Amino acid sequence: MKNKRRIRIAAMALSAALMMGFPGGTGAYVFGASRESGRTSGQEYKIINGIKYVPADETAKVISKLSASVVGIIGKLKQSSKNYSTYGDNLVFGSGVIYKSNGYIVTNAHVVSEMETIVAVLSNGKSYKARLKAIDEFFDLALIKIDKGMLKPAEFGDMTDVEAGMPVVAIGTPLSFSLRNSATKGIISGINRSTDGEYRFIQSDAAINGGNSGGPLVDMEGKVIGINTVKYTGYGVEGLSFSIPVDTVKYVLSHFEKFGKVRRPYLGAAFMEGVAAKYGLPSSEGLVIIRIEKDSPAEKAGLQIDDVLKAVNGVNLTTRIDYNEEAKKFLPGDSTTFTIERNGKAMKVKVVFDEAE
Amino acid sequence: MRRSNSSLGKTCKKTFAVFLSMFFIWSMFLPAYGETASKTSKADMIITLTADIGKINVNGTWIKTEKPFVFEKTLYFPLKAVMESLGAEVTESSAVAAIVYRDFSAILKTGSQSFLLNHTVSNLPAAPILKNKRFMVPLEFLKKLVPQGLNVSLKGRQAIIELTDDGAITDLSFLIGSFTQPRAGNSYFGWSINIPKGSRLSSESFNSRDIVIENEQRGITLEISVESNLGMTLEKKYGELLKLSKDLEDETFIDASLQDKGAALPYAEFLFTDQYDEAIYQRIYSNERYFYSVTVTSVDESNPETLRDEKYFKDLSDSFRLGFKGNGKDVADLSRVKSGLAVYDHYIDSPTAGNKISVWSMSIFPEWGNLVLSTDNPYNSAFGLDITKYISIDTISQDGNQSAEAYAQKMIKKYAANFNGDYYKLTDSGSAVTAGFPSYRLVYEVKMGKKLYRYEERFLESDGFIFDITFKTLSGDYSNEAGAYAKMLSTFKPSVSDSQSLAADMEKYGFDQYKNRVAKTDAPAKQENPVNGWSVEVPGYWQQKNYPGQSITAFNNKDTGASVLIETEDNKGISSPLKDEERFTLLKNTVEKNLTLKSSDTEAVRGMSVKRLVYRVDDDETEDYADIVFRIMEKDGYSYCLMSSIPDLCTSERNMTELEAIWNSFALIQRTTAK
């Protein structure tokens, strides 16, 4: 797989070099030149026309590949923001990832939700005014648009390729806007992490700081596997960074594109997690229904308080985040089967979701 | 990963094939593309499209599209592909296409030569055509949509679109407050001044009356504030400020002088150091309408004389000019005034929402600043020159959906019950239209001291709230000001962004107010203070406040401004030899204000000898007009001072009876020792 990808990149670079009229301009890729390649001390090298070329480090390649797709986002706070100050500069900033070549950029909702005027700064230093196209505070994702074409969109990966221990790179604008397109490296510490959020996160130890929000977490193929969102801070706390997984990002973006917002299925029931799940311990307790809203899909389906929801559509649940993740698979109006336990007896209940406001 | 020689060979063959085919296609367009590119090398993007070729070339990259075509001598281009390459937002349906591109928007319809360009009808030489579900549009459209920064040229069946301005922002001053001009000014208030290089606009009031320019790297802050001079001369202002300067808490006064002889623009100057030992140099200028305060502060200087005398700083202060009217490219105009008014957007901190809530907006006279009429009501805002002339806006929860008229009628009754007819007269009431909303209007006159004021109140309902807008001005001034008031009033716009949270906040505020009442019911409730040995009966809707260190308890009626304060002193204490005027804090404070003693007598009340002193306050600046009554008595080794007052306006029979009843209920009780 990797070989094929490399070959394709080489071919494109060659065609481009010739088309742009740069004979020899790119050095390494002169058509028809004599070539030799090998490895010294684990480092790949190529000898072309007698000159030894050492390819850049993999990390540098990743950064180089993705940098043009990462933007700094800066704006002034709205007067309605609680953080707005009459005497401050009211500037806030974050990061974003170019998602489509015609100027669509994905970022965190919390980066842009309180910005009055949004400005995106490309890696080449050029600034463009942006419009907020869609935002979802629950997923903490937003889509902004600059009117600039032929941008280099980032390549989005797949969570099935992500596993603990994988090296990753975070790119963004930590702490100061002058540090935009800063890169840090780490490994995936864990996936499917539940923090205080509504959905699962990727956990890594790639250093992220304020301003990294909305920037990409990328694998060593340069594919975006997450959007950096939050980190734990405190005395003695180190290397706990969290990113929204790329699958969630894709899910939200697909809703933004189709509906202009995330259409969330509404059940009308509140759940309580088991004590073990609350402590993060392995559990098969399921979720206890503690409240059912009047005329809600939950009530219509005959769910009752103290019913224990064990599975949705055959997928076992132990936490509220499990439920939210499962609910992502449905649209309002969809129906599914809940496996519940009532008075110690297992039952199956058909539920038709409504639409959340 | 090392690549084998065989795979390299395959790659080379494959690449060569790609190259050949690319070269073949490329050669078809190379002359035109190359020729244009060389002429316009500064173009950010070049798009080349040719009739009947199903792809467009964007900066050398080929993009498959619906084939452009020529029909009746008009070249049609694939709208979505071209516009999206430029970076536009395009949505197409079978009949309508909408385009948003920077500041431009357009709506096109198939079969219609006319289209909407920025909401205005414009025309194309031919109607758009739908081909394979894609909008094909005459090339002319591009010129109309983007009249500048986009060149479109046609050579036979080929069009070249050059984007010379890709919309990148070169001036970020709107974001960071930096200046591209060497001077800043305000065309409304008519001033301008040099700006130290590298400065930025740090803050400005909604009306741009107060401007702060900071230069962090030089450690300089430049503040320009304007206020109406109300006919006061610079000399008089100087004298007034000089008096105040010597009593400042945070700044140390160093020097001051009036530079009114020889200076091109006379000014008064003041030199201070602040609490951080930073130098401050202030000049006050004047013209026929305003005083201008120009203050230079330096964090690096501790001697304000440096700011006055050193060339760099002196040149800065000397660069101040009056008469700026918005002319001149070298001056950044910081005025926020439009059509003689400045927009104020009113936000309230909402504990429920955890954020600020937008409530209303209104355009205000630029000379008017924020006034604080009520220190504890977050739902009141006021603007004016001073308390003699202002506009006040109260936001009130529309409890039980009461109408604005019902609320106004309630206020009429309240005023009638609280106000003394010698000072208050309702002159008009009835329905009115306010800023496009049906509303109810009250007009009344109020006598304060020797002045007669006209109040006009408008009540209107929107978003589940009642807005009570009050204008206050001198009766004699009203006819001249009516037009300007009407203009200001017409701009009022309710804009409650989160009515649920605002209503919840107001409910909580009401509850907090309720908690402060002395009793749950309105009837007089006995308030006992066994530590100080007295009791008194106070209406339940009054509020209580204690001043523990001074043995003072205060009761007040927020609606009328009536108050009763009781102070106790131990006759064995160190203050016992002192005269009453020095012994009782309440009386001491009154005497120190040089109020007039109207009467002094002694009467026998409930078995005690009570000294009764009546002082008179007539303060035009604070508009306090009232009698202040002190009753001083002693019993069982303790002395008591009961002070009561009510503003003249609220001396209705009911309120006076209420106040008298409180005094009549005052009794001395068995004392307990404080723990």
Side-chain angles (χ1 to χ4, degrees), chain A residues 12-72:
Chain A
M12 283 172 66
L14 179 61
S15 306
L18 288 168
M19 280 161 49
M20 297 302 285
F22 294 134
T26 52
Y29 298 112
V30 178
F31 183 70
S34 68
R35 288 165 177 254
E36 185 188 322
S37 58
R39 185 179 288 269
T40 309
S41 304
Q43 176 68 62
E44 252 187 286
Y45 68 88
K46 292 185 181 79
I47 294 174
I48 302 165
N49 288 344
I51 301 168
K52 186 175 178 182
Y53 289 82
V54 179
D57 174 71
E58 289 294 314
T59 309
K61 281 185 196 168
V62 167
I63 296 164
S64 168
K65 178 184 173 184
L66 208 73
S67 267
S69 307
V70 182
V71 303

Side-chain angles (χ1 to χ4, degrees), chain B residues 131-175:
Chain B
K131 194 178 165 195
N132 294 327
K133 297 183 181 175
R134 289 285 174 220
F135 260 69
M136 304 300 288
V137 178
L139 201 60
E140 186 74 17
F141 172 72
L142 285 171
K143 293 181 192 168
K144 293 217 167 191
L145 182 71
V146 194
Q148 286 182 336
L150 187 77
N151 303 323
V152 182
S153 56
L154 191 61
K155 287 188 177 180
R157 296 168 65 77
Q158 188 181 70
I160 297 167
I161 302 157
E162 293 171 307
L163 187 69
T164 53
D165 174 9
D166 74 344
I169 312 164
T170 50
D171 180 6
L172 288 167
S173 56
F174 70 93
L175 195 65

